[in-house]
Amino acid sequence: MGQWPILSLTTFVPIVGAGFIFLLARGTPETVARNARYMALWTSLITFGLSLFIWFEFDRANPGFQFTEYAEWFPAWNINYRMGVDGISMMFVLLCTVLTPICVLASWESIRDRVKEYMISFLILETMMIGMFCALDFVVFYIFFEGVLIPMFVIIGVWGSGSRRIYAAFKFFLFTLLGSVLMLLALIAMYLQTRDTNIAILLATHFDRDMQIWLWLALFASFAVKIPMWPVHTWLPDAHVEAPTAGSVILAGVLLKMGGYGFLRFSIPILPEATAYFTPLVYTLSVVAIIYTSLVALAQEDMKKLIAYSSIAHMGFVTIGMFTLTTQGIHGSIFQMLSHGVVSAALFLAVGVVYDRLHSREIARYGGLWNNMPRYGIVFMIFMLGSVGLPGTSGFVGEFLSLVGAFQVNTWVAFLAATGLVLGAAYMLYLYRRVIFGRLTKDDLKGFHDLSLREMAVFAPLIALVFWMGIYPNSFIEVMDASVAQLIENYEAAIQSAADEAAGAAAVALR
Amino acid sequence: MEVAAVFLPLAGYLIVALFGRTIGDKGSMAITSIAVCLAMVLSIVVLFDTIGTEPETIVLFSWITSGTFDVAWALRIDTLAAVMLAVVNTISAMVHVYSVGYMHHDKFKPKFFAYLSLFTFFMLMLVTGDNLVQLFFGWEGVGLASYLLIGFWHERPSASAAAIKAFVVNRIGDFGFALGIFAVFVLFGSVQYETIFANVATLADAQFNFLGVEVHALTITCLLLFMGAMGKSAQLGLHTWLPDAMEGPTPVSALIHAATMVTAGVFMVARLSPLFEFAPVALGFVCIIGAATAFVAATIGLTQFDIKRVIAYSTMSQLGYMFFAAGVSAYNAAIFHLMTHAFFKALLFLGAGSVIHAMSDEQDMRKMGGTWRLIPYTYALMWIGSLALAGIGIPGVFGFAGFYSKDLILESAFGAHTVVGDIAFWLGIAAAIMTAFYSWRLLFLTFHGQPRADDRVMAHVHESPWIMLVPLMVLAAGAIAAGILGYSAFGGEGMHAFWGDSLAEAAFEATEHAHHVPFWVKVLPLVMGLGGIALAYLFYVQMPQLPARTVAAAGPLNRLFFNKWYFDEIYDAIFVRPAFLIGRGLWKGGDGAIIDGLGPDGLAATTRVAARRIAGLQSGYVYHYAFVMMIGVVVFVSWYLYAISG
């Protein structure tokens, strides 16, 4: 088992499946569509099965990279194909492999045009996402990181729903690519010093302080857009609104986490002094994001926009948590990313359910759905509560631990961020009330049937995850624990040595 | 056994939630009711087993382990928890049985019973937790159940509005509660009660930087925690949700919004009494808030016409009593009153439900009257509840439940001999006369005088079925006997043996002081109660024209009381409407005009112009963006080179 390149398998099985679909799905349009659907489903399920090996075989006590793979690529330049996961990245791989089959299933009936191309795009997207979380070479990482953009761009642009989908797709592309270009520059600058793009070597390299600050800013531009942080968040609501349901699921479920993962993998461990220097900036932007976007969410009239804004607020907790550099803060922030990956994905799916029936996202068009869709009401309720962070659901653990971390470092940050607890409840309950509660008076809603078996199958695993993560979160925390402990230890050592050096320099100057 | 007492209601909930359709209405009602009744029996056994023994903690399994932040799912059984367990399960069982009759006509019975059982489970987790986070779990969980049950008749817009209001206002309290938990963790390195209580003395003088200000650590911690209690227990400032919560079905009002959930705040202060003892300023604050609530709520209760709202304000007022008892360290008196109040207030609510049921869902007392011959049992039961609430009794011989517990509270406040204690005492005395007045106003308006309902309604007035009356009688038995039976254990000679270590030592001292107050202090509450009844008799039976004249004479004051001191209007103007306005402004102005206007859209527009001028490119978007990016890269690279060379 240990000899298998399990990470590469997990990464590239989807793209192989995409190749099969491309070559084999032939015949009448209906046959093509049906074959493409089943092949995509099977491919994604096989990938999920493979990723389960990673989950079970993963050594939870080992803080370093596991399942490492190495293949020469450009040995002359020290750019090589390296893969591996640690406690921080492993669960994101699982998140990708869980969400993709769900997305395929969710698109079963709602996508009718160019099904073959759609499924191919999704499988390529899955390869890119998994590869990004597994990459241990900065160039490989960069390729996957950018590679994600293309299928996503296509999915929004081609299968998007609204008239503004081209605008949204370009806005998405512009924001994220602009960030990425800066990351590329940072990559080149680092390479000039290390002459190696192995992430392990980058982690061991000390860059001097001024350099760190520039590098940090360049990386920040990229990751802050992805997460997204205020004020570079405005692409997200537009992208979500225009994207097809499954596109939103991946966008909220995985793509936003690329930013958070980037901070944890690069900014914090490689650039500790700059991280310490910029922490107040991150706190400020995060707190502004939480309050600002929560208030904006309150005023939304479009369901998807509302959930998109709530995502930004939730990501505010993530950035606060990880930059506290406390055990609870980082645990909370990773947990919050995973939880949000499940909860917001499920919320977009829930919106998709009624969108498929009415083809409107406008909240005012709905109301009283409890009367003819009670099962839907319960499912929506569960995820709404997850989003609100009710104890016992996954949302609570991440939010609470992030805030525990924040309170230890800065009470103002914890105080202001905690207002998100109140505002979050307000906008989600208000949404729920307008959609589910009330009298069923609108004629076009009366014919709605409750969740079908397929739709239940889509939600069931997510419901199970929400409660599992809420009631026994330790099975996830223990995975990340060792790696996080090492991250904090290294960070503190780096800060300490920088302080010692500064003190030494001051002593020399005095002499 | 303890585990079964806590988890039986959850089992009932899960069975009905998952298989409600299969087992049908009757099956659902039977399963949940039987489960809770069993839990009641078990928890009474647990209570008697626990008295006089060491606290016992049953760890179920770990919950969150993040570095030193370590929390488990656990049941901590000591006297305080066991008392709460028994109270919650007893009232819940009675409410379940009563609801079988009350919800007879409802379409969604399985849902209703499932929610009731779910609530019971959360409440039990709340009282048995061995750490603050599990307390918080139960705390938010009961909030959820309350939200679901207030909004049970979701087709009424007022019901779903009230449900949201309850949840959000409670969340404001929980905001403080959560910060309080963080503060405890930072100070003690743990959120477990054991560790907190063991180390609290060493931190008695600790300072702590909160929001940039150096403050006494335990004071600010307790104030933050108390903020949660204010939300949950509807104390002045965060009380506005409770009257609106009466939109829920009446059994819900009895169980959640009178007997159990709203007392969670009192339980919390008692549970954390060893911590609060080291924060005298916070205790003073608790005392003042409690006393002010007791007074203000009573004034509002005088003027309301909705039968349920009168009782709701009465609940709020009684909760105020419990808090000021806690504020003078008489935690045992607070819990004693919590227990007796659970019986008589549940009785009053369910009795009111019986009246509403009889009056074809009429709640306005102005449309009632003249019914006592028609519903004699309900009438008698309401009398018992009111006598218990007003604290009527014959000193030294017998008294209804409230006679013992409320007097103990007032005596403790007086016996504290502090300024806040005195304020609380006098406000409490003022509230006592009002309590008796509005209770008998309710009785007279509802049952006496000429019938004011139309003939059709009056013809239909009927006594409730036995399935509703029997639970009422059980509660009435509690309202009659809980005081006299419990007095010795809760606040008399037996209190040391009864409570053990589950409350702070100071409670016993405060109670000792209470026992040595002057004679006039002991009889004053009774005099006030009797006086209130006499006044109500004068106003509503002897001279029915008096109320109208008084209202006219006390115009502005009456308007203030009737409009609930305008809290809702003020909050709406300061918080609710601005939040929506600001949200809209940030969205259209911030995101739309400024960020996008200066960012992508502006760039796009500028580039379009520039591009046309410079190169005459095609007007496809992609070229514009590519062009911008090129320029961006060039600018950045040159800036970057400049920076590293300089």
Side-chain angles (χ1 to χ4, degrees):
Chain A
M1 181 70 233
Q3 307 311 313
W4 286 20
I6 183 79
L7 294 180
S8 292
L9 271 178
T10 316
T11 306
F12 292 107
V13 162
I15 212 164
V16 171
F20 275 119
I21 296 178
F22 180 72
L23 295 172
L24 298 182
R26 300 201 178 274
T28 61
E30 292 84 62
T31 335
V32 172
R34 201 179 55 237
N35 288 348
R37 285 186 191 120
Y38 275 104
M39 285 162 80
L41 182 63
W42 279 113
T43 309
S44 57
L45 285 176
I46 291 168
T47 315
F48 174 63
L50 284 170
S51 67
L52 282 182
F53 282 110
I54 308 179
W55 170 262
F56 286 114
E57 294 286 311
F58 187 84
D59 175 8
R60 279 141 177 82
N62 178 355
F65 293 106
Q66 306 182 31
F67 309 103
T68 50
E69 294 169 25
Y70 171 77
E72 284 193 351
W73 192 18
F74 299 113
W77 290 288
N78 287 325
I79 299 172
N80 296 300
Y81 175 80
R82 288 172 196 277
M83 300 285 254
V85 286
D86 67 355
I88 295 172
S89 53
M90 191 270 267
M91 287 181 292
F92 289 106
V93 174
L94 268 294
L95 185 63
C96 300
T97 60
V98 169
L99 287 180
T100 308
I102 289 175
C103 283
V104 171
L105 214 50
S107 313
W108 209 255
E109 281 160 20
S110 59
I111 299 295
R112 303 202 169 279
D113 298 332
R114 303 185 219 184
V115 177
K116 180 176 160 184
E117 289 80 358
Y118 179 85
M119 292 300 169
I120 291 176
S121 310
F122 254 91
L123 292 177
I124 296 177
L125 183 61
E126 185 178 17
T127 287
M128 297 297 168
M129 294 187 300
I130 297 175
M132 194 217 66
F133 286 119
C134 295
L136 285 189
D137 183 280
F138 206 155
V139 173
V140 178
F141 171 83
Y142 185 79
I143 290 169
F144 283 125
F145 193 84
E146 295 308 304
V148 169
L149 288 183
I150 299 159
M152 199 67 213
F153 174 77
V154 172
I155 288 169
I156 297 175
V158 176
W159 291 277
S161 53
S163 52
R164 279 159 54 91
R165 64 175 192 265
I166 303 294
Y167 168 79
F170 273 100
K171 198 170 176 183
F172 164 69
F173 206 77
L174 170 76
F175 264 104
T176 46
L177 191 66
L178 197 65
S180 309
V181 167
L182 297 176
M183 182 165 82
L184 183 62
L185 280 173
L187 168 61
I188 295 167
M190 285 196 255
Y191 181 73
L192 291 178
Q193 183 173 337
T194 58
R195 302 284 165 189
D196 199 319
T197 55
N198 183 351
I199 288 176
I201 292 191
L202 290 176
L203 287 171
T205 309
H206 179 253
F207 296 95
D208 54 73
R209 193 184 143 84
D210 290 346
M211 178 81 171
Q212 281 199 19
I213 291 195
W214 289 111
L215 289 173
W216 195 93
L217 283 173
L219 292 179
F220 182 70
S222 177
F223 301 143
V225 166
K226 272 277 171 12
I227 246 192
M229 291 179 83
W230 185 88
V232 285
H233 64 276
T234 59
W235 63 272
L236 185 71
D238 281 321
H240 270 308
V241 165
E242 304 302 326
T245 299
S248 290
V249 169
I250 292 294
L251 197 55
V254 181
L255 258 62
L256 302 192
K257 280 74 199 181
M258 291 164 58
Y261 174 70
F263 281 129
L264 283 171
R265 178 62 73 232
F266 300 102
S267 303
I268 292 174
I270 300 182
L271 311 167
E273 291 162 62
T275 298
Y277 181 76
F278 283 114
T279 295
L281 172 75
V282 174
Y283 286 162
T284 312
L285 295 182
S286 308
V287 164
V288 170
I290 290 172
I291 297 173
Y292 178 110
T293 53
S294 297
L295 287 170
V296 172
L298 209 50
Q300 292 306 307
E301 291 141 6
D302 180 312
M303 288 197 253
K304 275 185 137 185
K305 270 201 173 169
L306 194 153
I307 298 167
Y309 276 107
S310 84
S311 294
I312 305 166
H314 284 132
M315 290 300 116
F317 286 102
V318 170
T319 40
I320 286 178
M322 70 174 68
F323 279 87
T324 61
L325 270 309
T326 57
T327 308
Q328 290 81 27
I330 298 185
H331 281 168
S333 112
I334 297 174
F335 204 93
Q336 172 83 341
M337 285 198 270
L338 296 170
S339 152
H340 180 263
V342 174
V343 170
S344 72
L347 282 171
F348 280 116
L349 287 169
V351 173
V353 167
V354 286
Y355 183 81
D356 286 347
R357 287 162 172 70
L358 188 65
H359 295 284
S360 171
R361 296 179 309 266
E362 205 184 323
I363 298 170
R365 295 275 308 273
Y366 294 91
L369 288 182
W370 188 282
N371 295 293
N372 51 353
M373 301 179 75
R375 260 185 271 162
Y376 176 69
I378 293 167
V379 167
F380 199 161
M381 165 84 62
I382 291 170
F383 296 115
M384 173 196 80
L385 296 173
S387 171
V388 164
L390 196 85
T393 65
S394 60
F396 170 72
V397 181
E399 231 169 60
F400 200 77
L401 285 178
S402 302
L403 289 173
V404 168
F407 197 88
Q408 294 169 52
V409 181
N410 187 324
T411 47
W412 265 112
V413 173
F415 178 82
L416 293 172
T419 56
L421 298 179
V422 180
L423 294 169
Y427 62 70
M428 284 312 289
L429 295 183
Y430 188 47
L431 167 71
Y432 190 81
R433 174 188 168 188
R434 287 180 290 173
V435 175
I436 305 288
F437 285 163
R439 220 177 266 284
L440 186 64
T441 52
K442 302 186 178 74
D443 288 328
D444 43 2
L445 303 182
K446 285 183 181 156
F448 281 18
H449 48 91
D450 206 345
L451 294 181
S452 68
L453 210 58
R454 178 184 59 83
E455 286 166 329
M456 293 294 278
V458 165
F459 285 116
L462 297 174
I463 293 175
L465 273 173
V466 165
F467 286 122
W468 179 16
M469 294 173 76
I471 293 169
Y472 194 67
N474 279 349
S475 38
F476 302 89
I477 295 177
E478 69 186 18
V479 171
M480 59 175 106
D481 193 33
S483 299
V484 169
Q486 192 189 22
L487 176 78
I488 295 174
E489 201 177 301
N490 290 344
Y491 173 83
E492 280 170 356
I495 295 293
Q496 188 56 46
S497 78
D500 291 348
E501 221 168 89
V508 171
L510 278 177
R511 227 186 290 153
Chain B
M1 191 159 63
E2 293 85 353
V3 178
V6 172
F7 284 91
L8 271 172
L10 177 69
Y13 162 74
L14 287 175
I15 292 172
V16 174
L18 297 175
F19 310 110
R21 258 172 247 233
T22 330
I23 55 182
D25 287 1
K26 283 206 173 130
S28 306
M29 294 193 290
I31 284 176
T32 47
S33 305
I34 290 170
V36 177
C37 287
L38 273 177
M40 170 181 83
V41 174
L42 288 177
S43 51
I44 290 171
V45 177
V46 169
L47 174 62
F48 283 102
D49 277 358
T50 308
I51 297 168
T53 58
E54 287 293 302
E56 180 194 2
T57 304
I58 305 163
V59 178
L60 301 171
F61 56 93
S62 73
W63 182 13
I64 305 175
T65 311
S66 168
T68 51
F69 187 87
D70 192 1
V71 182
W73 295 105
L75 307 180
R76 178 192 155 101
I77 309 292
D78 59 6
T79 306
L80 179 59
V83 167
M84 294 300 292
L85 209 58
V87 169
V88 171
N89 271 328
T90 307
I91 308 289
S92 177
M94 292 308 118
V95 169
H96 271 82
V97 175
Y98 176 92
S99 302
V100 173
Y102 190 82
M103 300 302 280
H104 183 64
H105 300 296
D106 202 273
K107 282 189 294 181
F108 300 103
K109 286 188 273 268
K111 186 170 91 162
F112 182 79
F113 281 83
Y115 287 170
L116 279 187
S117 288
L118 181 67
F119 165 79
T120 309
F121 166 70
F122 279 129
M123 192 69 205
L124 297 174
M125 288 301 272
L126 189 159
V127 297
T128 54
D130 84 325
N131 61 69
L132 285 167
V133 184
Q134 188 178 329
L135 174 63
F136 194 71
F137 165 80
W139 193 268
E140 290 251 297
V142 291
L144 165 69
S146 152
Y147 161 80
L148 292 171
L149 284 164
I150 296 169
F152 185 75
W153 288 316
H154 64 86
E155 295 195 338
R156 290 188 197 164
S158 56
S160 44
I164 292 193
K165 186 172 175 185
F167 197 93
V168 173
V169 174
N170 268 298
R171 267 274 160 134
I172 296 173
D174 293 354
F175 159 79
F177 189 3
L179 289 173
I181 296 176
F182 305 149
V184 166
F185 177 67
V186 168
L187 288 171
F188 294 92
S190 171
V191 289
Q192 273 190 307
Y193 299 145
E194 295 269 339
T195 323
I196 297 170
F197 300 158
N199 296 315
V200 64
T202 59
L203 287 162
D205 298 317
Q207 297 284 309
F208 176 69
N209 186 314
F210 184 69
L211 303 185
V213 188
E214 280 294 317
V215 284
H216 181 235
L218 294 178
T219 301
I220 194 74
T221 306
C222 288
L223 286 175
L224 286 169
L225 292 169
F226 180 62
M227 193 172 159
M230 285 174 68
K232 194 63 65 195
S233 297
Q235 293 301 286
L236 206 57
L238 294 178
H239 66 279
T240 55
W241 65 273
L242 183 60
D244 290 14
M246 298 303 132
E247 288 290 340
T250 305
V252 172
S253 311
L255 176 62
I256 302 186
H257 305 119
T260 55
M261 182 186 84
V262 288
T263 61
V266 182
F267 166 78
M268 182 231 259
V269 176
R271 176 85 284 171
L272 299 176
S273 52
L275 186 63
F276 274 82
E277 275 308 310
F278 284 89
V281 178
L283 273 183
F285 182 76
V286 172
C287 188
I288 292 293
I289 288 286
T293 306
F295 180 79
V296 170
T299 61
I300 302 172
L302 295 176
T303 60
Q304 300 298 310
F305 289 106
D306 183 319
I307 185 167
K308 284 180 74 181
R309 284 190 186 239
V310 173
I311 308 177
Y313 280 106
S314 158
T315 303
M316 194 176 137
S317 173
Q318 298 302 309
L319 290 167
Y321 277 97
M322 298 176 209
F323 275 111
F324 75 68
V328 294
S329 297
Y331 307 103
N332 55 336
I335 297 295
F336 188 28
H337 197 53
L338 186 162
M339 191 267 290
T340 59
H341 175 258
F343 283 107
F344 61 71
K345 194 52 67 70
L347 172 62
L348 283 170
F349 258 120
L350 295 181
S354 184
V355 172
I356 296 166
H357 196 71
M359 302 292 294
S360 312
D361 293 332
E362 182 56 63
Q363 301 195 8
D364 191 331
M365 295 191 295
R366 285 171 293 193
K367 297 186 185 149
M368 295 180 180
T371 54
W372 70 273
R373 276 176 214 282
L374 300 169
I375 41 175
Y377 290 113
T378 305
Y379 175 64
L381 291 164
M382 290 293 276
W383 259 88
I384 295 173
S386 301
L387 285 169
L389 170 62
I392 304 301
I394 309 161
V397 184
F398 168 77
F400 289 89
F403 173 72
Y404 296 94
S405 55
K406 194 199 270 182
D407 282 15
L408 186 61
I409 286 178
L410 287 166
E411 287 157 18
S412 308
F414 188 87
H417 295 296
T418 56
V419 178
V420 285
D422 287 345
I423 295 173
F425 175 75
W426 287 111
L427 285 175
I429 290 292
I433 187 168
M434 290 190 276
T435 306
F437 181 84
Y438 64 63
S439 298
W440 266 264
R441 171 177 178 265
L442 185 152
L443 285 176
F444 293 140
L445 282 177
T446 309
F447 295 104
H448 292 262
Q450 290 302 314
R452 292 180 297 275
D454 57 42
D455 294 339
R456 207 164 42 81
V457 173
M458 287 308 289
H460 191 65
V461 171
H462 58 283
E463 186 58 274
S464 297
W466 285 104
I467 192 125
M468 290 165 70
L469 289 176
V470 170
L472 285 179
M473 288 169 182
V474 174
L475 293 172
I480 294 170
I484 193 163
L485 294 181
Y487 183 74
S488 165
F490 280 82
E493 304 80 50
M495 65 181 173
H496 289 274
F498 180 73
W499 290 108
D501 294 332
S502 63
L503 294 176
E505 278 294 312
F508 307 126
E509 215 173 299
T511 313
E512 285 302 325
H513 289 305
H515 290 165
H516 298 102
V517 293
F519 180 71
W520 66 267
V521 174
K522 292 192 175 185
V523 293
L524 191 57
L526 179 62
V527 173
M528 286 295 147
L530 294 172
I533 297 173
L535 265 182
Y537 182 74
L538 182 70
F539 268 62
Y540 292 95
V541 180
Q542 283 301 96
M543 308 171 73
Q545 71 279 23
L546 253 186
R549 249 191 271 164
T550 323
V551 165
L557 203 60
N558 179 62
R559 267 203 298 285
L560 179 69
F561 293 170
F562 186 70
N563 290 304
K564 304 161 273 181
W565 296 54
Y566 295 101
F567 272 100
D568 278 321
E569 287 74 8
I570 294 168
Y571 284 175
D572 198 47
I574 304 181
F575 300 111
V576 182
R577 262 177 289 162
F580 279 91
L581 278 178
I582 294 170
R584 174 159 286 277
L586 290 176
W587 173 32
K588 297 285 186 196
D591 269 21
I594 299 175
I595 298 176
D596 279 355
L598 299 179
D601 295 355
L603 270 181
T606 318
T607 336
R608 207 166 319 162
V609 174
R612 208 173 293 137
R613 279 199 200 140
I614 297 167
L617 287 169
Q618 303 285 315
S619 60
Y621 269 106
V622 67
Y623 300 105
H624 297 158
Y625 285 109
F627 190 69
V628 182
M629 267 179 263
M630 285 290 290
I631 294 183
V633 171
V634 171
V635 168
F636 188 80
V637 170
S638 32
W639 173 40
Y640 183 65
L641 290 176
Y642 175 77
I644 51 173
S645 63

